Amino acid sequence: MAVDGDWNLTMTTPMGDRDATLNLRSASGVLTGTQGADGNSAEIFDGAVNGNDVSWKVSITVPMPLTLEFTGKVAGDSMSGEMGIGPMGSFPFTGKRA
């Protein structure tokens, strides 16, 4: 599918822009893969894909323990959307195919 593969993400956060890598695989509407940043990597969960719409969650520990919720759209070799950080609100992210 259009979302499968490696991506480089830039997330706008209250602490400035943060970069991450993302490896995605899709099958029957389910999105799986890994997301990495700051030398750490974690499996994504609750991932879904519907056409060009994607969503997933990932738990991080750096800079603090959080679950990030991503919702976005894929357009060719680009991805963009919102990253929810619980009570801290939502912030934009962009991605480019690696």
Side-chain angles (χ1 to χ4, degrees), residues 5-25:
D6 294 325
W7 295 85
N8 293 316
L9 299 183
T10 300
M11 302 161 288
T12 302
T13 76
M15 299 181 341
D17 284 353
R18 312 270 298 170
D19 293 325
T21 58
L22 185 63
N23 176 273
L24 296 176
R25 297 173 301 283

Side-chain angles (χ1 to χ4, degrees), residues 7-8 17-18 25 30 42-43 52 54 57 68 76 79-80 82-84 88 90 94 98:
W7 295 85
N8 293 316
D17 284 353
R18 312 270 298 170
R25 297 173 301 283
V30 176
E43 292 287 323
N52 291 330
V54 293
K57 296 177 184 176
L68 308 178
M79 182 188 307
S80 62
E82 294 287 318
M83 174 187 65
M88 289 183 249
S90 293
T94 58

